[in-house]
Amino acid sequence: MDIAVTGPKIYFSFEIPYIGTVNITQTSVSLLAVTLILMIASWCLTRKLTKRPGRFQVVAEKLVTMLYGLVEDTMGKHNLKFAPYIGTLFLSSICGTLIGMTQIFRSTTSDLSVTAAWALVTTGMVWYHNIKNFGFLTWLKGFTEPIVVMTPMNIVSEIATPVSMAFRHFGNVAGGSVLTSLIYGALAGLTSLLFGWLPDAVAAVFPPIFQVGIPAFLSIYFDLFSGFVQALVFSLLTMVYVGAACPPPEEIAESKK
């Protein structure tokens, strides 16, 4: 049994002056495919909006209403402006995971650079709104609370937040892919062990029976269920962190007194 688990394949590279080598990988192509799918789906669902909606418009409006309701419940009504970002993040995550089931594209979320980029964007939003709402000095002072000796731990905690978000999402998706590949290879070995003694002409008639069903079930779990859960968890953590940096206006005004 020969199983190789590698990173995304590099299709081609090119040089950009003052930047260096830029690689176009399987992940890059998958990200482009996901972007195009979401753009086309958005255009199809919104190009003929009517006052008496059809089935697709009803579904689209229901999903948007659920999104805004979730954002309002988690972040507060004053933070509804973040709903488009949260929706884009969730759809990019779930579609990026599910596209790997096509066996044509690679799951974008199985690449650490993708989840790390999302985590850094979230962290940047948190820092920006903390500084905007409370001031730069107040933001720095927060690292010394509740006591000054906690400053190193607070700094480590601030850095660990995007790291944990990125590795949690990436680890679950990539780990599921590796585990599925290992089980698929083991089942292939079991088939060869049980039917390998048969003549080639006879063995060719037997399908790889042990590779039917179990890998498909595992793919449904790791790609569909786990991918949905990880996308939801990542989006919820983003809402919690950004929401904490954007409290209601009256709380911001009270803190500045």
Side-chain angles (χ1 to χ4, degrees):
M1 180 177 63
D2 185 16
I3 299 177
V5 179
T6 61
K9 179 182 177 181
I10 299 176
Y11 290 129
F12 62 90
S13 303
F14 57 90
E15 295 285 338
I16 297 181
Y18 307 108
I19 295 180
T21 303
V22 176
N23 297 321
I24 303 300
T25 66
Q26 288 176 302
T27 303
S28 305
V29 175
S30 296
L31 281 171
L32 178 60
V34 169
T35 302
L36 290 176
I37 290 172
L38 293 178
M39 290 176 62
I40 293 172
S42 299
W43 179 77
C44 291
L45 291 173
T46 59
R47 67 189 181 96
K48 291 184 179 180
L49 297 180
T50 61
K51 292 183 178 180
R52 300 187 66 178
R55 289 175 296 176
F56 291 108
Q57 184 176 335
V58 169
V59 172
E61 291 179 356
K62 180 61 177 178
L63 292 176
V64 171
T65 301
M66 291 173 59
L67 170 63
Y68 275 80
L70 179 63
V71 172
E72 181 177 351
D73 293 341
T74 308
M75 304 178 69
K77 191 173 183 179
H78 60 287
N79 284 323
L80 286 177
K81 60 184 179 181
F82 293 108
Y85 171 72
I86 299 301
T88 303
L89 186 64
F90 176 81
L91 290 176
S92 298
S93 176
I94 188 65
C95 291
T97 301
L98 294 180
I99 200 171
M101 298 179 67
T102 63
Q103 300 299 318
I104 300 174
F105 298 97
R106 175 185 174 89
S107 294
T108 61
T109 49
S110 63
D111 194 324
L112 181 59
S113 62
V114 174
T115 57
W118 293 343
L120 289 175
V121 170
T122 295
T123 302
M125 292 175 63
V126 171
W127 291 353
Y128 169 78
H129 287 287
N130 267 322
I131 295 173
K132 177 184 177 182
N133 293 328
F134 303 104
F136 182 71
L137 294 179
T138 303
W139 176 66
L140 288 180
K141 184 180 178 182
F143 289 102
T144 64
E145 296 176 350
I147 54 178
V148 178
V149 295
M150 292 294 295
T151 301
M153 293 297 297
N154 289 333
I155 293 175
V156 171
S157 176
E158 195 74 14
I159 297 174
T161 297
V163 173
S164 64
M165 289 180 66
F167 274 91
R168 180 188 295 109
H169 199 344
F170 156 76
N172 278 277
V173 176
S177 299
V178 172
L179 184 58
T180 301
S181 298
L182 291 175
I183 294 177
Y184 191 82
L187 293 175
L190 179 60
T191 301
S192 177
L193 177 65
L194 294 180
F195 299 103
W197 56 273
L198 295 174
D200 293 340
V202 178
V205 178
F206 288 88
I209 57 176
F210 295 107
Q211 293 176 276
V212 178
I214 296 178
F217 175 79
L218 292 175
S219 179
I220 291 175
Y221 173 79
F222 286 115
D223 292 331
L224 186 60
F225 177 74
S226 181
F228 178 84
V229 170
Q230 292 307 314
L232 181 61
V233 168
F234 197 96
S235 300
L236 286 174
L237 289 175
T238 298
M239 286 189 283
V240 170
Y241 293 142
V242 177
C246 300
E250 54 272 19
E251 291 187 18
I252 298 176
E254 184 68 23
S255 67
K256 293 181 178 179
K257 291 182 179 180

